[in-house]
C-alpha cells in the first residue's frame, strides 16, 4: 500500500500545510477566547445566587417586625451578596446591557419576583468597585432591600483585554508561519549561497538535491549546468593542447628550412607549411567561436541548390573532383554561412579521405536532405560514434598524414543541431555517405529566443 505523504513534495502542497497549521493555531486561540467567553456565561450563576438569596431575604424581612428590619438585613449578607434595608427608593440607576441581562436571569430563575419593583445597575459608574451587580427590591409593606454582589460580573468588559489577547493570537500565528516558511526557504538560501561561490573555487560546487520538487529540479539543473561548464572548459583546454601539439610539426619543419638544414630555397614548401598552420588556426578559431552565430548569420529563407553549387564549383576550382545532383531550386530557412561551412567540411572530408565528392540533395516531406558520398574506405563502424567528437581522428587518417585537427565533423554536428536537424554517417560498398537532414521551416525554438546584447533571453 502506498504510504500517505504528510509532507508533500510540491511547494504548493507545503504552503497549504503552512496555512493549515496557521489556521489551526488561530482556531486554538479562538477556542481559548471562547472558553473565556463561556466562563463569562457561567457568571450568570451569580445572578441565580443573587436571585435565591434575594427571595430568602425578602421573606425573612417580611416576617421580621418593621423596626428590627434595618438591623436584620445586614446579617442576611453572605460571601456572595451584601444586604441592607433603606426607606428611600434608589436613585435612577443607569440600566446597562449587563444589568438588563442580569435582570432577565434573575426573573427567570425566581418567577416569584415577577411583578415586584426591582431596580438593577452595575457599579463602577458611580465609583466603588467596578462591575458588581447592584440592585434594590421594593418590599410590599414599605422599605427597599438593597443588595450588591461581592464578585465582579464581567472581567472581560474592558476592550483593552480583548486587544491584548488578539495581539497575542496574531503574534503566535505569524511566528508559526514564519518558522515554517523559513524552513521551506532553506534550500533556496543554500542554492544562492552556492551560486555566490561558483567560479572562485577550482572545484565544482554541487548542491544536494533535496527539499520540495521544484527546488530539487532547480538543484539538478544547477548541477547539470556546472557539468556543462566543466565540459566546455575541458573541451577548450583540449583544443589548445591539440593545436599546440599539431602546430609543432610544420613549425619545426619551417625552423629547419630557415636554418638551412632543408632546402631553404623551396618557397613552395615553406608556403605549404605556413598555410597548414594557418588552416589549423582557422579551424581552431571556428571551433572556439562556438556560439550559434545567429547575430551575423540570421536564419534566412535560402535557395540551398545555389549554395551547394557554389561550394561545388569552388572545390572544383581547387582541383577536386566534386559533382552535384538535385533540383535547381530548393528553399529552406537556414543560416547561410554556418550551413555553407558544414557542407564544405563534408566535401573536404570526402575529397580528402575518399577521392571525390558526389553531392545529392532533395526534399523529403518537411525536410531537406543533403548527401555527400565519396569513394573511400569509409569509417570503421566502432568509430562512427566518435568521429563527431572534437579532435577525434581515426588512426588511418593520421597514418596517411592527411592534414587536419579532427574538428570538421564536430563543427558539422553542432551546426546541424542548431538547425534542428540531424547528421548521419553511413558506410556503403563504394564509400561513406554523410547525410544531413534539415527542417525546411527552420527550428521553431529560434522564435522563442530574443537576442539582447549578445545574450539569449528566453521569454515565457
Ligand atoms: N569521408 C570520410 N571517409 C573516411 N574517414 C573519414 C571521412 N570523414 C571523416 N573521416 C574520419 O573522421 C575523422 C574526423 O573527421 P573530421 O572532419 O572531424 O576531422 P579531420 O578531417 O581529421 O580534420 P579537420 O576536418 O579538422 O581538418 C577523420 O580524421 C577521419 O578519420
Ligand atoms: Mg575534416
Amino acid at each position: 500500500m502506498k504510504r500517505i505523504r504528510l509532507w508533500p513534495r510540491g511547494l504548493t502542497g507545503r504552503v497549504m500545510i503552512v496555512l493549515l497549521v496557521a489556521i489551526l493555531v488561530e482556531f486554538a486561540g479562538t477556542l481559548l477566547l471562547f472558553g473565556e467567553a463561556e466562563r463569562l456565561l457561567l457568571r450568570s450563576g451569580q445572578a441565580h445566587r443573587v436571585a435565591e438569596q434575594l427571595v430568602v431575604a425578602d421573606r425573612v424581612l417580611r416576617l421580621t417586625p418593621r423596626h428590627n428590619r434595618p438591623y436584620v438585613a445586614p446579617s442576611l449578607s453572605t460571601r456572595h451578596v451584601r444586604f441592607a434595608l433603606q426607606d428611600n427608593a434608589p436613585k435612577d440607576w443607569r440600566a446597562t446591557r449587563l444589568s438588563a441581562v442580569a435582570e432577565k436571569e434573575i426573573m427567570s430563575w425566581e418567577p416569584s419576583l415577577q411583578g415586584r419593583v426591582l431596580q438593577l445597575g452595575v457599579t463602577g459608574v458611580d465609583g466603588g468597585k467596578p462591575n458588581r451587580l447592584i440592585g434594590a427590591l421594593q418590599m410590599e409593606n414599605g422599605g427597599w432591600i438593597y443588595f450588591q454582589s461581592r464578585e465582579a460580573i464581567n472581567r472581560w468588559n474592558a476592550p483593552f483585554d480583548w486587544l491584548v489577547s488578539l495581539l497575542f493570537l496574531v503574534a503566535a500565528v505569524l511566528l508559526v508561519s514564519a518558522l515554517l516558511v523559513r524552513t521551506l526557504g532553506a534550500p533556496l538560501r543554500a542554492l544562492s549561497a552556492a551560486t555566490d561561490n561558483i567560479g572562485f573555487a577550482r572545484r565544482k560546487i554541487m548542491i544536494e538535491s533535496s527539499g520540495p520538487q521544484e527546488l530539487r529540479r532547480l538543484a539538478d539543473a544547477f548541477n547539470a549546468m556546472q557539468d556543462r561548464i566543466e565540459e566546455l572548459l575541458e573541451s577548450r583546454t583540449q583544443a589548445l593542447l591539440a593545436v599546440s601539439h599539431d602546430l609543432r610539426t610544420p613549425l619545426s619543419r619551417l625552423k629547419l628550412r630557415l636554418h638551412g638544414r632543408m632546402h631553404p630555397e623551396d618557397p613552395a614548401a615553406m608556403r605549404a607549411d605556413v598555410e597548414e598552420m594557418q588552416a589549423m588556426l582557422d579551424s581552431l578559431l571556428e571551433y572556439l567561436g562556438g556560439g550559434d552565430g545567429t547575430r551575423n548569420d540570421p536564419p534566412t529563407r535560402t535557395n540551398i541548390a545555389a549554395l551547394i553549387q557554389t561550394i561545388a564549383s569552388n572545390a572544383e576550382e581547387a582541383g577536386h573532383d566534386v559533382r552535384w545532383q538535385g533540383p535547381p531550386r530548393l528553399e529552406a530557412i537556414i543560416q547561410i554561412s554556418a550551413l555553407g561551412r558544414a557542407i564544405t567540411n563534408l566535401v573536404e572530408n570526402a575529397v580528402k579521405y575518399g577521392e571525390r565528392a558526389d553531392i545529392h540533395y532533395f526534399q523529403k516531406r518537411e525536410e531537406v536532405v543533403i548527401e555527400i558520398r565519396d569513394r573511400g574506405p569509409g569509417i570503421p563502424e566502432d568509430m562512427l560514434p566518435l568521429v563527431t567528437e572534437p579532435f577525434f581522428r581515426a588512426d588511418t587518417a593520421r597514418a596517411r598524414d592527411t592534414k587536419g585537427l579532427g574538428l570538421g565533423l564536430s563543427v558539422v554536428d553542432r551546426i546541424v543541431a542548431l538547425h534542428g536537424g540531424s547528421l548521419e554517417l553511413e558506410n556503403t560498398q563504394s564509400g561513406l555517405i554523410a547525410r544531413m537532414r534539415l527542417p525546411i521551416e527552420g527550428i521553431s525554438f529560434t522564435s522563442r529566443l530574443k537576442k539582447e546584447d549578445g545574450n539569449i533571453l528566453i521569454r515565457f
Side-chain angles (χ1 to χ4, degrees):
M1 206 181 88
K2 211 180 151 194
R3 207 163 60 92
I4 297 172
R5 293 184 66 92
L6 286 179
W7 192 230
R9 279 172 188 273
L11 200 58
T12 321
R14 294 183 179 196
V15 169
M16 278 169 74
I17 294 271
V18 169
L19 287 180
L20 187 73
V21 171
I23 289 168
L24 283 183
V25 168
E26 206 218 54
F27 190 61
T30 317
L31 268 188
L32 274 180
L33 290 186
F34 276 117
E36 204 55 50
E38 212 158 82
R39 242 177 288 151
L40 191 135
L41 274 182
L42 281 181
R43 284 167 203 276
S44 65
Q46 279 177 32
H48 297 169
R49 273 198 298 279
V50 168
E52 279 166 359
Q53 292 183 22
L54 186 60
V55 169
V56 171
D58 178 47
R59 287 191 192 145
V60 169
L61 289 175
R62 223 186 303 158
L63 298 172
T64 309
R66 240 190 130 136
H67 60 274
N68 277 344
R69 283 181 189 166
Y71 311 106
V72 173
S75 67
L76 294 171
S77 299
T78 64
R79 206 156 56 86
H80 303 293
V81 195
R82 209 148 50 90
F83 289 102
L85 193 82
Q86 284 180 25
D87 286 332
N88 46 340
K91 275 181 265 147
D92 231 5
W93 280 321
R94 218 180 312 151
T96 63
R97 195 175 56 80
L98 268 170
S99 63
V101 170
E103 184 171 354
K104 239 174 92 184
E105 290 283 328
I106 290 173
M107 290 304 180
S108 67
W109 196 247
E110 286 294 344
S112 61
L113 289 175
Q114 272 164 19
R116 301 281 299 276
V117 180
L118 176 69
Q119 288 202 30
L120 283 174
V122 177
T123 58
V125 186
D126 308 322
K129 285 186 179 171
N131 287 327
R132 303 294 195 272
L133 188 64
I134 186 171
L137 177 72
Q138 190 175 31
M139 295 194 68
E140 271 159 9
N141 41 10
W144 291 78
I145 308 173
Y146 279 75
F147 58 90
Q148 182 178 351
S149 80
R150 292 190 198 255
E151 299 153 331
I153 53 169
N154 184 10
R155 183 165 75 77
W156 286 93
N157 210 16
F160 179 73
D161 285 352
W162 278 95
L163 199 68
V164 169
S165 42
L166 191 70
L167 280 181
F168 269 115
L169 185 62
V170 168
V173 170
L174 286 185
L175 190 75
V176 172
S177 335
L179 277 176
L180 287 174
V181 174
R182 239 188 105 73
T183 319
L184 285 182
L188 262 188
R189 282 195 299 281
L191 187 66
S192 56
T195 319
D196 279 345
N197 286 313
I198 282 179
F200 294 123
R202 278 245 158 254
R203 280 171 297 161
K204 282 190 283 184
I205 298 177
M206 302 304 267
I207 293 181
E208 191 194 357
S209 170
S210 65
Q213 211 162 31
E214 290 82 351
L215 291 180
R216 271 207 304 272
R217 266 193 228 134
L218 188 61
D220 290 343
F222 181 85
N223 291 336
M225 181 188 76
Q226 289 198 77
D227 285 340
R228 283 198 303 277
I229 291 177
E230 197 181 57
E231 257 170 46
L232 190 69
L233 285 178
E234 178 65 21
S235 72
R236 308 249 138 168
T237 314
Q238 285 304 324
L240 289 175
L241 286 176
V243 171
S244 322
H245 179 265
D246 285 18
L247 276 177
R248 270 196 209 137
T249 318
L251 201 62
S252 44
R253 269 202 308 262
L254 265 181
K255 264 192 198 157
L256 289 176
R257 289 191 215 285
L258 282 174
H259 289 101
R261 276 173 231 159
M262 285 169 93
H263 302 289
E265 64 279 2
D266 186 357
M270 286 171 86
R271 200 178 307 126
D273 281 338
V274 171
E275 265 165 22
E276 187 184 342
M277 286 158 65
Q278 177 76 52
M280 279 183 185
L281 289 174
D282 284 350
S283 62
L284 178 73
L285 281 180
E286 185 189 344
Y287 172 74
L288 292 182
D292 62 359
T294 31
R295 185 181 270 280
N296 302 317
D297 189 12
T300 321
R301 190 172 291 280
T302 313
N303 182 12
I304 288 185
L307 181 67
I308 289 175
Q309 287 158 26
T310 313
I311 292 170
S313 59
N314 284 346
E316 266 178 321
E317 267 170 36
H320 300 302
D321 187 356
V322 180
R323 298 154 202 217
W324 57 267
Q325 189 198 340
R329 231 186 145 70
L330 181 53
E331 285 194 346
I333 296 178
I334 55 154
Q335 290 173 241
I336 305 168
S337 305
L339 193 66
R341 175 101 306 258
I343 298 170
T344 309
N345 283 2
L346 293 179
V347 169
E348 272 176 7
N349 279 355
V351 296
K352 193 154 64 171
Y353 306 107
E355 288 149 32
R356 59 181 264 194
D358 285 308
I359 311 174
H360 188 197
Y361 60 93
F362 53 92
Q363 178 175 352
K364 195 172 178 193
R365 285 190 282 273
E366 299 298 300
E367 284 178 335
V368 168
V369 182
I370 305 171
E371 290 179 350
I372 289 111
R373 295 163 179 257
D374 63 39
R375 299 284 166 86
I379 301 174
E381 288 292 320
D382 56 330
M383 287 188 184
L384 278 178
L386 301 174
V387 287
T388 49
E389 293 290 319
F391 303 107
F392 181 87
R393 305 195 74 203
D395 289 339
T396 44
R398 291 191 199 281
R400 288 173 63 202
D401 198 27
T402 44
K403 298 178 176 69
L405 286 176
L407 287 175
L409 285 179
S410 72
V411 169
V412 175
D413 196 42
R414 190 168 63 203
I415 292 172
V416 169
L418 277 170
H419 280 79
S422 59
L423 171 69
E424 294 160 15
L425 299 172
E426 187 187 328
N427 287 308
T428 66
Q429 295 282 314
S430 51
L432 186 82
I433 303 181
R435 186 182 297 115
M436 291 192 281
R437 298 175 187 277
L438 308 166
I440 286 191
E441 289 308 316
I443 185 169
S444 60
F445 179 65
T446 42
S447 62
R448 281 176 52 199
L449 301 178
K450 184 159 166 40
K451 301 269 169 293
E452 271 175 21
D453 298 331
N455 295 326
I456 294 174
L457 182 74
I458 297 182
R459 294 198 193 282
F460 294 100

